[in-house]
Amino acid sequence: MFPYNRHRRLRKNESIRSLVRENHLSVNDFVLPIFVAEGENIKQEIPSMPGIYRHSLDLTIKEVKEIWDLGIKAVNIYVKVDENLKDNTGKEAWNPDGLMQRTIKEIKNAVPEMIVMPDVALDPFSMYGHDGIIGNGEVLNDETNDALVKMSLAQAAAGADFVAPSDMMDGRIGAIREALEENGFYNVGIVSYAAKYASSFYGPFRDALDSAPVDNQEIPKDKKTYQMDFHNAYEALREVEEDINEGADIVMVKPGMAYLDIVRMVKGNYNIPVSVFQVSGEYSMIKAAAANGWLDHDKIMLESLTAFKRAGADMIFTYFAKEAAKLLRG
């Protein structure tokens, strides 16, 4: 006998499909990463990231106001640092008058309710393109943590709502949390890039900031000594648990699309908000395939974003945030 349960009854039209849908994508799910450059009236498209620009601060404020009107409530900030300001200490990262701190202040002045989550890592400020201080041919962990603490305090003083350490140094969440507490920044949260993999999906991002590791035989050629090995899954749980214990408010899995299993594992094991980063390479692949007519851009964009929700992500850092918001709002 044909089974009484015919699953297609719940698929026969969009009305019933929408009623029984398990996951719903919303503008409230998005965090938009933005790139900021020095100057005025600057809008530089990043060739490897079609539709994404480095904006000067004046145009950044215009962009932030526009996305707020679309319903996007959070931004993740990266700054393009002049080469003459880069060194091995990263000291420009905590310059109170530096581009990052000025950007935070201007965004909070222009749109006070916008949640500002600046990046905490030394690679944009490093002459070597690494996320930490180089010494004796390696990336130094504890010395880098001291620099990340200074960077986080400068961002908190400028008005950041959350700091977002993306470096993967051991113990940096605890060090940052302790420093924030001791300096009275009790309400500044931490978005920890807790499970950040040494991935090849980051290439276009490094074009955007000129932050790739330099070709120098005396230093590590890549970031595999501190970012996670992409062969590993359960290691991510150890990293996440450690960061939670050290005071993280939100944890991150990065990259996203090739790591949906990690998102699911983290969400299933810990009662904490989980974010995921749809990184530059993922964005650019979809853009390139759509430009060649191989995929329907809007459908694939929304399908990929929904996959993050299905895997368990509470929020999605994505360069598609603005485009997706326009579609979702009709």
Side-chain angles (χ1 to χ4, degrees), residues 12 19 27 37 42 76 78 122 126 128 157 187 228 262 303:
K12 65 181 180 180
L19 283 173
V27 177
I42 301 296
N76 176 220
Y78 300 87
L122 295 186
S126 168
Y128 296 116
N187 293 322
M228 286 181 57
I262 309 302
E303 184 177 337

Side-chain angles (χ1 to χ4, degrees), residues 117 162-165 173 189-193 248-252 275 317:
M117 301 175 168
F162 289 80
V163 294
I173 300 302
I190 300 177
V191 179
S192 171
Y193 289 52
D249 300 282
I250 300 168
V251 294
M252 164 83 74
S275 59
F317 288 57

